[in-house]
């Protein structure tokens, strides 16, 4: 029986080495791409169709001292993904282990997943007309292996296992870190139904450039939950109305009379 998995990201241990990003590209056979200096040692500021995870670096200054805050970005594989709800071709589905996966045989590159993800994770390849993002290394996970990023993390900032075990580990680690840093907090446990990647942060989420309370766009909720179903009811009502009208006409003999008139030859006017 497949069980829910989780990746615990302990940002207090992350050194920003970027080995996770390299491992992701190596395992998924993703090409390198030209980058640019964003800030300090950071050279990537968003995911792309060929970069599914990257590290952002944030400098903090307190009491005359500077220290780093690192954050690993990728798909969060939330339990209630807006991308799945927005997909117009049913190309996105959830796995039993908790991952959100795109079926590229069905994907048409419409970009609705890009527009509605609160973290702006999926990206459309304009050449292939397909949307791409982190797969969670589902091919490895379903064969008893750790995700590539977790397997390569040297400082132990990434841990992988059963969801309940990882949550227990994350909360124990949080209690330890809060002894010296009261601002430390967990990010993801209850967001978007609960994410498959849970983070121990050393400061507020906004400091890392991520939303504190990501939500499904109201416009998407209105469309999927109210407008679209009502449209279906309206269309169904219209079809039923047409069918009822046809049946009534049949019962009244309107179609039969019309058919008889068409079949009868016209009467000639005038005398013999």
């Amino acid at each position: 029986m497949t069980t829910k998995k989780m990746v615990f990201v302990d940002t207090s241990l992350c050194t920003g080495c970027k080995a996770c990003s390299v491992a992701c590209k190596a395992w998924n056979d993703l090409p390198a791409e030209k980058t640019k200096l964003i800030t300090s040692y950071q050279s990537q500021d968003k995911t792309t169709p060929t970069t599914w995870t990257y590290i952002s670096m944030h400098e903090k200054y307190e009491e005359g001292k500077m220290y780093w805050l690192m954050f690993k970005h990728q798909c969060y594989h939330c339990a209630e993904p807006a991308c799945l709800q927005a997909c117009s071709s049913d190309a996105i589905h959830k796995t039993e282990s908790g991952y959100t996966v795109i079926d590229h045989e069905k994907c048409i590159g419409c970009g609705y997943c890009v527009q509605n993800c609160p973290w702006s994770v999926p990206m459309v390849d304009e050449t292939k007309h397909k949307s791409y993002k982190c797969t969670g290394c589902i091919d490895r996970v379903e064969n008893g292996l750790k995700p590539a990023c977790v397997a390569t993390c040297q400082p132990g900032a990434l841990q992988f296992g059963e969801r309940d075990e990882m949550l227990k580990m994350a909360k124990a680690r949080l209690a330890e870190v809060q002894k010296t840093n009261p601002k430390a907090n967990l990010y993801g446990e209850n967001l978007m139904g609960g994410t498959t990647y849970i983070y121990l942060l050393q400061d507020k989420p906004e400091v890392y450039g991520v939303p504190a309370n990501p939500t499904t766009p109201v416009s998407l909720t209105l469309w999927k939950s109210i407008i679209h179903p009502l449209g279906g009811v309206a269309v169904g009502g219209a079809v039923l109305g047409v069918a009822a009208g046809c049946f009534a006409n049949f019962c009244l003999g309107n179609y039969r009379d019309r058919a008889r008139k068409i079949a009868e030859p016209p009467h000639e006017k005038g005398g013999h």
Side-chain angles (χ1 to χ4, degrees):
M1 178 181 176
T2 304
T3 55
K4 297 286 186 182
K5 307 298 183 184
M6 176 174 277
V7 174
F8 170 39
V9 184
D10 186 346
T11 65
S12 69
L13 297 178
C14 179
T15 61
C17 69
K18 307 179 187 179
C20 54
S21 184
V22 175
C24 175
K25 281 185 175 288
W27 176 258
N28 293 289
D29 198 22
L30 300 173
E33 55 187 313
K34 187 174 182 179
T35 59
K36 61 182 179 180
L37 180 63
I38 305 298
T39 179
S40 299
Y41 297 102
Q42 184 178 337
S43 58
Q44 195 91 24
D45 61 355
K46 62 181 179 181
T47 54
T48 73
T50 57
T51 294
W52 299 349
T53 186
Y54 71 96
I55 299 292
S56 62
M57 303 179 177
H58 310 269
E59 295 180 10
K60 286 281 291 182
Y61 294 86
E62 287 186 359
E63 300 179 355
K65 296 182 180 180
M66 188 276 281
Y67 61 95
W68 291 98
L69 295 179
M70 310 294 185
F71 192 94
K72 179 182 182 299
H73 298 263
Q74 77 289 302
C75 175
Y76 297 79
H77 298 277
C78 41
E80 299 171 0
C83 61
L84 185 153
Q85 192 175 349
C87 184
S88 63
S89 57
D90 294 325
I92 301 177
H93 66 277
K94 294 291 298 181
T95 68
E96 291 183 2
S97 51
Y99 290 96
T100 306
V101 181
I102 300 175
D103 182 346
H104 290 112
E105 292 296 320
K106 296 180 179 179
C107 179
I108 59 175
C110 66
Y112 291 156
C113 57
V114 179
Q115 297 170 14
N116 289 282
C117 173
W119 289 282
S120 301
V121 169
M123 291 292 166
V124 174
D125 186 314
E126 299 298 340
T127 301
K128 298 179 180 178
H129 303 294
K130 304 288 182 182
S131 183
Y132 292 90
K133 68 175 190 64
C134 161
T135 65
C137 281
I138 189 64
D139 50 345
R140 292 174 61 93
V141 171
E142 291 186 345
N143 284 284
L145 299 174
K146 297 178 180 179
C149 59
V150 177
T152 199
C153 183
Q154 294 302 306
L158 301 178
Q159 299 292 332
F160 172 78
E162 300 297 319
R163 182 177 181 84
D164 291 342
E165 293 178 5
M166 289 298 101
L167 277 173
K168 184 177 180 180
M169 178 188 292
K171 291 176 180 179
R173 176 61 180 163
L174 174 65
E176 183 67 25
V177 174
Q178 283 183 329
K179 292 178 181 178
T180 55
N181 180 12
K183 293 186 294 183
N185 63 93
L186 292 183
Y187 182 76
E189 180 180 3
N190 300 309
L191 301 179
M192 300 296 287
T195 58
T196 301
Y197 281 71
I198 187 169
Y199 291 74
L200 188 156
L201 303 182
Q202 299 188 79
D203 210 322
K204 297 177 181 179
E206 297 91 336
V207 174
Y208 294 86
V210 292
N213 186 32
T215 58
T216 299
V218 175
S219 57
L220 178 60
T221 302
L222 287 173
W223 171 252
K224 285 287 187 175
S225 302
I226 300 176
I227 299 175
H228 192 265
L230 285 178
V233 170
V235 170
V239 171
L240 287 175
V242 171
C246 291
F247 183 71
N249 274 306
F250 178 79
C251 291
L252 292 172
N254 292 342
Y255 293 139
R256 186 171 58 251
D257 292 343
R258 186 179 174 212
R260 186 174 61 251
K261 289 178 181 179
I262 294 174
E264 291 177 352
H267 295 291
E268 302 230 356
K269 292 184 182 180
H272 297 286

